[in-house]
Protein backbone atom coordinates (compact mmCIF):
# COMPACT_ATOMS: atom_id res chain seq x y z
CA UNK A 1 0.00 0.00 0.00
CA UNK A 2 2.99 2.35 0.39
CA UNK A 3 3.80 2.09 -3.31
CA UNK A 4 2.76 5.03 -5.53
CA UNK A 5 0.85 2.82 -7.96
CA UNK A 6 -1.36 1.15 -5.36
CA UNK A 7 -4.57 2.82 -6.55
CA UNK A 8 -3.91 1.77 -10.16
CA UNK A 9 -2.92 -1.80 -9.27
CA UNK A 10 -5.14 -4.83 -8.77
CA UNK A 11 -4.82 -4.74 -4.97
CA UNK A 12 -7.84 -2.49 -4.28
CA UNK A 13 -9.96 -4.81 -6.41
CA UNK A 14 -8.53 -7.84 -4.63
CA UNK A 15 -9.35 -6.26 -1.27
CA UNK A 16 -12.93 -5.62 -2.41
CA UNK A 17 -13.20 -9.20 -3.72
CA UNK A 18 -11.88 -10.59 -0.44
CA UNK A 19 -14.30 -8.66 1.73
CA UNK A 20 -17.24 -9.28 -0.63
CA UNK A 21 -16.66 -13.03 -0.79
CA UNK A 22 -16.22 -13.01 2.99
CA UNK A 23 -19.64 -11.45 3.47
CA UNK A 24 -21.27 -13.93 1.08
CA UNK A 25 -19.44 -16.98 2.45
CA UNK A 26 -20.18 -16.01 6.04
CA UNK A 27 -23.88 -15.61 5.35
CA UNK A 28 -23.98 -19.00 3.63
CA UNK A 29 -22.04 -20.60 6.51
CA UNK A 30 -24.47 -19.11 9.05
CA UNK A 31 -27.51 -20.48 7.23
CA UNK A 32 -25.93 -23.91 6.69
CA UNK A 33 -24.72 -24.31 10.28
CA UNK A 34 -28.04 -23.15 11.68
CA UNK A 35 -29.95 -25.57 9.44
CA UNK A 36 -27.71 -28.53 10.32
CA UNK A 37 -27.92 -27.74 14.02
CA UNK A 38 -31.71 -27.52 13.94
CA UNK A 39 -32.01 -30.78 11.99
CA UNK A 40 -29.61 -32.59 14.30
CA UNK A 41 -31.38 -31.24 17.38
CA UNK A 42 -34.73 -32.42 16.06
CA UNK A 43 -33.49 -35.85 15.07
CA UNK A 44 -31.53 -36.29 18.31
CA UNK A 45 -34.82 -37.15 20.01
CA UNK A 46 -34.89 -40.24 17.80
CA UNK A 47 -31.18 -40.99 18.39
CA UNK A 48 -30.72 -40.69 14.63
CA UNK A 49 -29.37 -37.18 15.02
CA UNK A 50 -26.49 -38.13 17.30
CA UNK A 51 -24.21 -39.21 14.45
CA UNK A 52 -25.15 -36.00 12.66
CA UNK A 53 -23.64 -34.03 15.55
CA UNK A 54 -20.30 -35.24 14.24
CA UNK A 55 -21.14 -33.35 11.06
CA UNK A 56 -21.55 -30.19 13.14
CA UNK A 57 -18.20 -30.82 14.82
CA UNK A 58 -16.57 -31.16 11.41
CA UNK A 59 -18.38 -28.11 10.06
CA UNK A 60 -15.27 -26.00 10.47
CA UNK A 61 -13.31 -28.03 7.91
CA UNK A 62 -15.09 -26.78 4.75
CA UNK A 63 -15.27 -23.24 6.14
CA UNK A 64 -11.54 -23.24 6.90
CA UNK A 65 -10.83 -24.73 3.47
CA UNK A 66 -12.81 -21.97 1.80
CA UNK A 67 -11.00 -19.37 3.91
CA UNK A 68 -7.60 -20.72 2.85
CA UNK A 69 -8.62 -20.39 -0.79
CA UNK A 70 -9.94 -16.88 -0.18
CA UNK A 71 -6.65 -15.87 1.41
CA UNK A 72 -5.03 -16.14 -2.00
CA UNK A 73 -6.95 -13.02 -3.02
CA UNK A 74 -5.13 -10.84 -0.51
CA UNK A 75 -2.13 -12.83 0.75
CA UNK A 76 0.80 -14.02 -1.35
CA UNK A 77 2.04 -16.37 1.39
CA UNK A 78 1.01 -20.06 1.31
CA UNK A 79 -2.30 -20.79 2.95
CA UNK A 80 -1.74 -21.89 6.57
CA UNK A 81 -2.87 -24.99 8.35
CA UNK A 82 -2.12 -28.67 7.92
CA UNK A 83 -4.05 -31.70 9.01
CA UNK A 84 -2.37 -34.94 9.93
CA UNK A 85 -2.68 -37.88 7.62
CA UNK A 86 -4.80 -40.73 9.01
CA UNK A 87 -2.76 -43.73 10.15
CA UNK A 88 -4.88 -46.06 8.01
CA UNK A 89 -7.25 -45.76 5.08
CA UNK A 90 -10.96 -45.66 5.63
CA UNK A 91 -13.64 -43.37 7.03
CA UNK A 92 -13.26 -44.52 10.63
CA UNK A 93 -9.55 -43.71 10.76
CA UNK A 94 -10.16 -40.35 9.11
CA UNK A 95 -12.93 -39.40 11.55
CA UNK A 96 -10.89 -40.50 14.55
CA UNK A 97 -7.89 -38.47 13.41
CA UNK A 98 -9.92 -35.36 12.71
CA UNK A 99 -11.89 -35.46 15.97
CA UNK A 100 -8.67 -35.81 17.99
CA UNK A 101 -6.93 -32.91 16.27
CA UNK A 102 -6.80 -29.53 17.93
CA UNK A 103 -6.87 -27.98 14.47
CA UNK A 104 -10.36 -29.40 13.86
CA UNK A 105 -11.81 -27.78 16.95
CA UNK A 106 -9.94 -24.55 16.31
CA UNK A 107 -11.44 -24.42 12.82
CA UNK A 108 -14.90 -25.10 14.26
CA UNK A 109 -14.45 -22.18 16.63
CA UNK A 110 -13.36 -19.98 13.76
CA UNK A 111 -16.37 -21.09 11.67
CA UNK A 112 -18.74 -20.09 14.50
CA UNK A 113 -17.00 -16.73 14.93
CA UNK A 114 -17.03 -16.19 11.18
CA UNK A 115 -20.72 -17.03 10.82
CA UNK A 116 -21.81 -14.85 13.75
CA UNK A 117 -19.47 -11.87 13.81
CA UNK A 118 -16.82 -11.61 11.12
CA UNK A 119 -18.91 -11.60 7.96
CA UNK A 120 -21.08 -8.69 9.17
CA UNK A 121 -17.84 -6.79 9.77
CA UNK A 122 -16.82 -7.51 6.16
CA UNK A 123 -20.19 -6.28 4.92
CA UNK A 124 -20.00 -3.16 7.08
CA UNK A 125 -16.50 -2.34 5.83
CA UNK A 126 -17.65 -2.66 2.22
CA UNK A 127 -20.69 -0.49 2.86
CA UNK A 128 -18.83 2.30 4.58
CA UNK A 129 -15.69 2.32 2.44
CA UNK A 130 -17.16 1.55 -0.99
CA UNK A 131 -20.89 2.16 -1.32
CA UNK A 132 -20.93 5.52 0.44
CA UNK A 133 -18.17 7.09 -1.70
CA UNK A 134 -19.79 5.66 -4.83
CA UNK A 135 -23.13 7.23 -3.91
CA UNK A 136 -21.36 10.60 -3.59
CA UNK A 137 -19.64 10.12 -6.96
CA UNK A 138 -23.01 9.31 -8.52
CA UNK A 139 -24.54 12.66 -7.47
CA UNK A 140 -24.75 14.06 -11.05
CA UNK A 141 -26.24 10.82 -12.34
CA UNK A 142 -28.82 10.74 -9.56
CA UNK A 143 -29.69 14.38 -10.20
CA UNK A 144 -30.19 13.69 -13.91
CA UNK A 145 -32.35 10.60 -13.37
CA UNK A 146 -34.09 10.46 -10.01
CA UNK A 147 -34.05 14.20 -9.39
CA UNK A 148 -35.31 15.20 -12.81
CA UNK A 149 -32.33 17.50 -13.35
CA UNK A 150 -33.41 19.80 -10.49
CA UNK A 151 -32.12 18.33 -7.23
CA UNK A 152 -30.74 15.27 -5.48
CA UNK A 153 -29.84 14.29 -1.93
CA UNK A 154 -26.26 13.34 -1.06
CA UNK A 155 -26.04 10.60 1.59
CA UNK A 156 -29.53 11.61 2.70
CA UNK A 157 -27.90 14.56 4.49
CA UNK A 158 -27.96 17.57 2.22
CA UNK A 159 -29.70 18.60 -1.02
CA UNK A 160 -27.86 19.58 -4.18
CA UNK A 161 -29.82 21.81 -6.56
CA UNK A 162 -27.23 23.03 -9.12
CA UNK A 163 -25.12 21.15 -11.62
CA UNK A 164 -21.79 22.77 -10.62
CA UNK A 165 -22.42 21.70 -7.05
CA UNK A 166 -23.30 18.17 -8.20
CA UNK A 167 -20.09 17.82 -10.19
CA UNK A 168 -18.11 19.31 -7.31
CA UNK A 169 -19.63 16.70 -5.00
CA UNK A 170 -18.68 14.00 -7.55
CA UNK A 171 -15.05 15.17 -7.52
CA UNK A 172 -15.12 15.11 -3.74
CA UNK A 173 -16.52 11.61 -3.94
CA UNK A 174 -13.63 10.49 -6.16
CA UNK A 175 -11.13 11.80 -3.61
CA UNK A 176 -13.07 10.06 -0.87
CA UNK A 177 -13.12 6.84 -2.93
CA UNK A 178 -9.34 6.98 -3.35
CA UNK A 179 -8.94 7.36 0.41
CA UNK A 180 -11.39 4.52 1.05
CA UNK A 181 -9.34 2.24 -1.22
CA UNK A 182 -6.60 2.45 1.36
CA UNK A 183 -9.13 1.83 4.10
CA UNK A 184 -10.33 -1.28 2.26
CA UNK A 185 -6.73 -2.46 1.88
CA UNK A 186 -6.14 -2.07 5.62
CA UNK A 187 -9.41 -3.80 6.47
CA UNK A 188 -8.77 -6.71 4.11
CA UNK A 189 -5.18 -7.10 5.32
CA UNK A 190 -6.21 -7.09 8.97
CA UNK A 191 -9.03 -9.51 8.22
CA UNK A 192 -6.64 -11.87 6.40
CA UNK A 193 -4.13 -11.72 9.24
CA UNK A 194 -6.86 -12.52 11.76
CA UNK A 195 -7.95 -15.50 9.66
CA UNK A 196 -4.38 -16.76 9.38
CA UNK A 197 -3.90 -16.44 13.11
CA UNK A 198 -7.13 -18.24 14.03
CA UNK A 199 -7.07 -21.18 11.64
CA UNK A 200 -3.35 -21.93 12.02
CA UNK A 201 -1.70 -21.56 15.40
CA UNK A 202 1.94 -20.67 15.79
CA UNK A 203 2.58 -24.08 17.33
CA UNK A 204 1.35 -25.83 14.17
CA UNK A 205 3.63 -23.77 11.94
CA UNK A 206 6.60 -24.33 14.23
CA UNK A 207 5.80 -28.04 14.40
CA UNK A 208 5.70 -28.26 10.61
CA UNK A 209 9.02 -26.43 10.38
CA UNK A 210 10.58 -28.75 12.96
CA UNK A 211 9.41 -31.78 11.00
CA UNK A 212 10.80 -30.34 7.79
CA UNK A 213 14.09 -29.48 9.51
CA UNK A 214 14.41 -33.00 10.88
CA UNK A 215 13.64 -34.45 7.45
CA UNK A 216 16.22 -32.19 5.81
CA UNK A 217 18.84 -33.23 8.36
CA UNK A 218 18.16 -36.89 7.65
CA UNK A 219 18.44 -36.20 3.90
CA UNK A 220 21.78 -34.48 4.48
CA UNK A 221 23.04 -37.47 6.45
CA UNK A 222 21.94 -39.84 3.69
CA UNK A 223 23.61 -37.67 1.06
CA UNK A 224 26.79 -37.54 3.14
CA UNK A 225 26.83 -41.31 3.50
CA UNK A 226 26.24 -41.82 -0.21
CA UNK A 227 29.05 -39.42 -1.12
CA UNK A 228 31.44 -41.04 1.32
CA UNK A 229 30.72 -44.49 -0.07
CA UNK A 230 31.21 -43.18 -3.59
CA UNK A 231 34.64 -41.83 -2.62
CA UNK A 232 35.50 -45.14 -0.96
CA UNK A 233 34.40 -47.07 -4.05
CA UNK A 234 36.36 -44.81 -6.39
CA UNK A 235 39.51 -45.14 -4.29
CA UNK A 236 39.10 -48.89 -4.01
CA UNK A 237 38.40 -49.50 -7.69
CA UNK A 238 40.65 -46.77 -9.09
CA UNK A 239 43.67 -45.53 -7.17
CA UNK A 240 44.17 -48.73 -5.18
CA UNK A 241 44.15 -50.93 -8.27
CA UNK A 242 46.66 -48.67 -10.00
CA UNK A 243 48.94 -48.78 -6.96
CA UNK A 244 48.69 -52.58 -6.91
CA UNK A 245 49.61 -52.69 -10.61
CA UNK A 246 52.50 -50.26 -9.99
CA UNK A 247 53.77 -52.34 -7.07
CA UNK A 248 53.68 -55.50 -9.19
CA UNK A 249 55.48 -53.77 -12.05
CA UNK A 250 58.20 -52.50 -9.70
CA UNK A 251 58.56 -55.99 -8.19
CA UNK A 252 59.04 -57.53 -11.65
CA UNK A 253 61.53 -54.81 -12.54
CA UNK A 254 63.53 -55.60 -9.40
CA UNK A 255 63.78 -59.22 -10.46
CA UNK A 256 65.03 -58.30 -13.93
CA UNK A 257 67.42 -55.52 -12.88
CA UNK A 258 71.09 -56.42 -12.34
CA UNK A 259 72.62 -55.64 -8.95
CA UNK A 260 73.68 -52.02 -8.63
CA UNK A 261 72.30 -48.51 -8.08
CA UNK A 262 69.32 -49.13 -10.38
CA UNK A 263 68.26 -52.20 -8.42
CA UNK A 264 68.57 -50.25 -5.17
CA UNK A 265 66.37 -47.47 -6.54
CA UNK A 266 63.80 -49.99 -7.74
CA UNK A 267 63.80 -51.59 -4.30
CA UNK A 268 63.22 -48.22 -2.66
CA UNK A 269 60.44 -47.38 -5.12
CA UNK A 270 58.85 -50.79 -4.55
CA UNK A 271 58.85 -50.28 -0.79
CA UNK A 272 57.41 -46.78 -1.13
CA UNK A 273 54.64 -48.06 -3.41
CA UNK A 274 53.83 -50.79 -0.89
CA UNK A 275 53.74 -48.21 1.90
CA UNK A 276 51.45 -45.92 -0.14
CA UNK A 277 49.19 -48.87 -0.87
CA UNK A 278 48.98 -49.72 2.83
CA UNK A 279 48.18 -46.11 3.71
CA UNK A 280 45.52 -45.95 1.00
CA UNK A 281 43.94 -49.15 2.28
CA UNK A 282 43.89 -47.70 5.79
CA UNK A 283 42.30 -44.51 4.43
CA UNK A 284 39.66 -46.50 2.57
CA UNK A 285 38.96 -48.50 5.70
CA UNK A 286 38.54 -45.29 7.68
CA UNK A 287 36.14 -43.77 5.16
CA UNK A 288 33.77 -46.70 5.20
CA UNK A 289 35.09 -50.17 6.07
CA UNK A 290 34.06 -52.92 3.74
CA UNK A 291 33.28 -55.23 6.63
CA UNK A 292 30.64 -52.74 7.84
CA UNK A 293 28.95 -52.61 4.44
CA UNK A 294 29.10 -56.38 3.89
CA UNK A 295 28.52 -57.86 7.34
CA UNK A 296 27.05 -55.14 9.52
CA UNK A 297 27.81 -53.35 12.74
CA UNK A 298 28.56 -56.39 14.91
CA UNK A 299 31.32 -57.68 12.61
CA UNK A 300 32.72 -54.16 12.09
CA UNK A 301 32.96 -53.53 15.85
CA UNK A 302 34.69 -56.90 16.30
CA UNK A 303 37.16 -55.94 13.58
CA UNK A 304 37.80 -52.56 15.25
CA UNK A 305 38.36 -54.33 18.57
CA UNK A 306 40.93 -56.66 16.98
CA UNK A 307 42.86 -53.66 15.62
CA UNK A 308 42.75 -51.73 18.90
CA UNK A 309 46.00 -51.17 20.80
CA UNK A 310 44.12 -51.95 24.05
CA UNK A 311 42.53 -55.40 24.51
CA UNK A 312 38.78 -55.08 23.95
CA UNK A 313 35.98 -57.46 24.91
CA UNK A 314 32.95 -57.32 22.63
CA UNK A 315 29.47 -58.30 23.80
CA UNK A 316 27.17 -57.02 21.08
CA UNK A 317 23.94 -58.77 20.16
CA UNK A 318 22.38 -57.61 16.89
CA UNK A 319 20.18 -60.26 15.28
CA UNK A 320 19.52 -58.21 12.13
CA UNK A 321 21.04 -55.40 10.13
CA UNK A 322 20.31 -51.79 11.04
CA UNK A 323 19.77 -48.77 8.76
CA UNK A 324 22.97 -47.70 7.04
CA UNK A 325 23.30 -44.24 8.67
CA UNK A 326 22.74 -45.78 12.11
CA UNK A 327 25.38 -48.47 11.57
CA UNK A 328 27.85 -45.93 10.23
CA UNK A 329 27.35 -43.47 13.11
CA UNK A 330 27.53 -46.20 15.75
CA UNK A 331 30.67 -47.70 14.20
CA UNK A 332 32.56 -44.42 14.11
CA UNK A 333 31.51 -43.61 17.68
CA UNK A 334 32.99 -46.93 18.80
CA UNK A 335 36.17 -46.36 16.77
CA UNK A 336 36.65 -42.85 18.17
CA UNK A 337 36.01 -44.10 21.70
CA UNK A 338 38.55 -46.93 21.33
CA UNK A 339 41.08 -44.50 19.85
CA UNK A 340 40.61 -42.21 22.87
CA UNK A 341 41.03 -45.17 25.20
CA UNK A 342 44.35 -46.05 23.55
CA UNK A 343 45.65 -42.46 23.47
CA UNK A 344 44.48 -40.87 26.69
CA UNK A 345 43.01 -43.25 29.26
CA UNK A 346 45.96 -45.43 30.27
CA UNK A 347 43.51 -48.33 30.42
CA UNK A 348 44.57 -51.96 30.34
CA UNK A 349 41.27 -53.26 29.02
CA UNK A 350 38.06 -52.00 27.40
CA UNK A 351 34.64 -53.44 26.73
CA UNK A 352 32.04 -52.76 24.03
CA UNK A 353 28.53 -54.05 24.76
CA UNK A 354 24.97 -53.37 23.71
CA UNK A 355 22.16 -54.55 21.55
CA UNK A 356 18.90 -53.65 19.84
CA UNK A 357 15.81 -53.59 22.05
CA UNK A 358 12.38 -52.00 21.77
CA UNK A 359 13.22 -50.18 18.56
CA UNK A 360 16.46 -48.63 19.86
CA UNK A 361 20.15 -49.36 19.49
CA UNK A 362 22.11 -49.29 22.77
CA UNK A 363 25.91 -49.18 22.91
CA UNK A 364 28.30 -48.98 25.86
CA UNK A 365 32.05 -48.45 25.69
CA UNK A 366 33.76 -48.89 29.06
CA UNK A 367 37.44 -48.83 30.05
CA UNK A 368 39.36 -49.20 33.31
CA UNK A 369 41.56 -46.15 32.75
CA UNK A 370 42.24 -43.09 34.84
CA UNK A 371 39.04 -41.25 33.81
CA UNK A 372 38.69 -37.49 33.74
CA UNK A 373 37.72 -37.38 30.05
CA UNK A 374 35.89 -34.25 28.85
CA UNK A 375 33.91 -34.39 25.62
CA UNK A 376 34.15 -30.60 25.22
CA UNK A 377 37.95 -30.54 25.52
CA UNK A 378 38.72 -31.73 22.02
CA UNK A 379 38.32 -35.46 22.55
CA UNK A 380 36.69 -35.87 19.14
CA UNK A 381 33.33 -36.95 20.55
CA UNK A 382 31.59 -33.61 20.06
CA UNK A 383 31.24 -34.08 16.31
CA UNK A 384 30.08 -37.66 16.82
CA UNK A 385 27.49 -36.47 19.35
CA UNK A 386 26.18 -34.04 16.72
CA UNK A 387 26.02 -36.85 14.21
CA UNK A 388 24.10 -39.08 16.62
CA UNK A 389 21.70 -36.23 17.43
CA UNK A 390 20.86 -35.92 13.72
CA UNK A 391 19.46 -39.44 13.99
CA UNK A 392 17.45 -38.37 17.08
CA UNK A 393 19.91 -40.29 19.23
CA UNK A 394 21.76 -39.45 22.42
CA UNK A 395 25.39 -39.73 23.43
CA UNK A 396 26.41 -39.48 27.09
CA UNK A 397 29.87 -39.62 28.68
CA UNK A 398 30.63 -40.47 32.31
CA UNK A 399 34.30 -40.21 33.28
CA UNK A 400 34.97 -39.29 36.91
CA UNK A 401 38.62 -38.81 37.98
CA UNK A 402 40.08 -42.20 38.71
CA UNK A 403 37.72 -43.94 36.30
CA UNK A 404 36.10 -45.87 34.98
CA UNK A 405 35.03 -44.11 31.78
CA UNK A 406 31.66 -45.06 30.31
CA UNK A 407 30.32 -43.89 26.96
CA UNK A 408 26.62 -44.48 26.27
CA UNK A 409 24.97 -44.26 22.84
CA UNK A 410 21.25 -44.63 22.17
CA UNK A 411 19.73 -44.31 18.70
CA UNK A 412 16.09 -45.02 17.73
CA UNK A 413 15.94 -47.36 14.74
CA UNK A 414 14.30 -50.48 13.42
CA UNK A 415 16.12 -53.55 12.23
CA UNK A 416 15.94 -54.28 8.52
CA UNK A 417 16.37 -57.46 6.47
CA UNK A 418 19.91 -58.28 5.46
CA UNK A 419 20.95 -56.66 2.19
CA UNK A 420 18.71 -53.60 2.56
CA UNK A 421 20.54 -51.70 5.31
CA UNK A 422 22.34 -49.49 2.83
CA UNK A 423 19.06 -48.06 1.61
CA UNK A 424 17.44 -47.32 4.95
CA UNK A 425 17.68 -44.07 6.86
Amino acid sequence: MSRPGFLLSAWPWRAVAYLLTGAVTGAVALVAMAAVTVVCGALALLVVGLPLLVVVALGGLPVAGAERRRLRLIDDEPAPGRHREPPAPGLRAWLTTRLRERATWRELGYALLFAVLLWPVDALALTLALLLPLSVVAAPLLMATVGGGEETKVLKLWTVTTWPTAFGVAVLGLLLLALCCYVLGVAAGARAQLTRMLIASREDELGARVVELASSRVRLVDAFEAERRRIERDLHDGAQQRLVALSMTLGLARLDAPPGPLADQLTTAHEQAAQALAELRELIHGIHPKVLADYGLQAAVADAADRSAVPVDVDLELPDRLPGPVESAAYFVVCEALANVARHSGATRARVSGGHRNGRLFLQVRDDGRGGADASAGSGLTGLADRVSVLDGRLALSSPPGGPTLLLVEVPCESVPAGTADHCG
Side-chain angles (χ1 to χ4, degrees):
M1 293 177 59
S2 61
R3 298 177 181 177
F6 172 75
L7 292 176
L8 300 179
S9 67
W11 285 106
W13 298 102
R14 294 174 68 171
V16 170
Y18 181 73
L19 294 174
L20 180 60
T21 56
V24 175
T25 305
V28 172
L30 176 62
V31 173
M33 295 181 70
V36 172
T37 303
V38 170
V39 171
C40 291
L43 295 180
L45 299 176
L46 303 175
V47 189
V48 180
L50 292 178
L52 297 180
L53 292 178
V54 178
V55 178
V56 177
L58 299 177
L61 298 181
V63 174
E67 287 296 278
R68 292 187 180 95
R69 287 188 290 272
R70 284 202 320 114
L71 278 175
R72 300 173 186 173
L73 293 172
I74 199 65
D75 199 345
D76 288 334
E77 296 183 12
R82 294 180 181 178
H83 287 279
R84 296 197 308 268
E85 291 294 330
L91 179 61
R92 182 184 180 86
W94 185 85
L95 286 176
T96 302
T97 302
R98 291 294 170 265
L99 292 177
R100 291 179 178 177
E101 279 185 314
R102 289 194 303 174
T104 300
W105 301 103
R106 185 172 59 249
E107 291 175 355
L108 176 61
Y110 172 79
L112 294 174
L113 182 64
F114 180 42
V116 175
L117 180 62
L118 294 182
W119 77 266
V121 173
D122 294 343
L124 181 62
L126 278 175
T127 302
L128 294 178
L130 186 62
L131 296 183
L132 293 183
L134 287 178
S135 65
V136 176
V137 172
L141 179 61
L142 293 176
M143 185 173 177
T145 56
V146 180
E150 297 180 357
E151 66 175 18
T152 184
K153 285 188 174 294
V154 179
L155 300 180
K156 303 296 182 180
L157 297 178
W158 71 86
T159 303
V160 175
T161 58
T162 63
W163 285 104
T165 304
F167 283 106
V169 170
V171 173
L172 179 62
L174 289 176
L175 297 177
L176 183 61
L177 181 61
L179 178 62
C180 287
C181 286
Y182 286 94
V183 175
L184 286 172
V186 172
R191 179 70 173 77
Q193 185 62 30
L194 178 63
T195 300
R196 178 179 289 274
M197 182 179 65
L198 293 179
I199 65 177
S201 66
R202 185 66 176 170
E203 290 77 8
D204 291 342
E205 294 184 2
L206 290 178
R209 293 181 181 179
V210 168
V211 170
E212 177 60 27
L213 178 60
S215 301
S216 65
R217 292 201 309 171
V218 172
R219 289 194 296 268
L220 285 176
V221 171
D222 292 341
F224 174 77
E225 288 295 328
E227 182 65 15
R228 188 165 63 175
R229 294 189 184 193
R230 183 191 66 79
I231 294 173
E232 183 268 339
R233 184 174 60 252
D234 291 345
L235 289 176
H236 182 275
D237 297 338
Q240 180 177 257
Q241 300 303 322
R242 291 187 180 92
L243 278 177
V244 169
L246 175 61
S247 180
M248 294 177 61
T249 302
L250 290 174
L252 293 175
R254 286 180 56 190
L255 296 177
D256 296 337
L262 179 60
D264 295 338
Q265 292 178 359
L266 288 175
T267 299
T268 302
H270 189 205
E271 292 174 353
Q272 291 176 349
Q275 183 179 0
L277 181 59
E279 293 177 354
L280 181 61
R281 285 172 176 168
E282 186 67 22
L283 176 62
I284 294 173
H285 191 277
I287 292 176
H288 194 86
K290 188 173 179 59
V291 64
L292 178 64
D294 293 343
Y295 300 103
L297 180 61
Q298 188 168 353
V301 169
D303 178 68
D306 291 338
R307 293 183 289 106
S308 174
V310 177
V312 180
D313 298 323
V314 178
D315 183 15
L316 194 60
E317 297 182 0
L318 297 174
D320 297 308
R321 294 295 302 271
L322 300 175
V326 174
E327 287 189 338
S328 180
Y331 171 76
F332 285 108
V333 168
V334 171
C335 289
E336 182 67 25
L338 294 180
N340 287 337
V341 169
R343 287 195 298 260
H344 308 297
S345 70
T348 60
R349 199 160 196 88
R351 177 182 177 85
V352 179
S353 60
H356 184 266
R357 301 184 300 274
N358 300 324
R360 306 184 79 85
L361 170 66
F362 298 91
L363 287 177
Q364 294 184 2
V365 181
R366 180 189 295 269
D367 68 73
D368 58 1
R370 65 178 68 95
D374 185 2
S376 62
S379 64
L381 293 178
T382 303
L384 295 175
D386 293 338
R387 183 170 179 175
V388 170
S389 67
V390 170
L391 302 171
D392 291 333
R394 296 184 298 174
L395 186 147
L397 177 66
S398 173
S399 183
T405 297
L406 177 63
L407 180 69
L408 300 175
V409 179
E410 180 181 343
V411 181
C413 62
E414 296 295 336
S415 59
V416 296
T420 61
D422 293 346
H423 307 287
C424 299

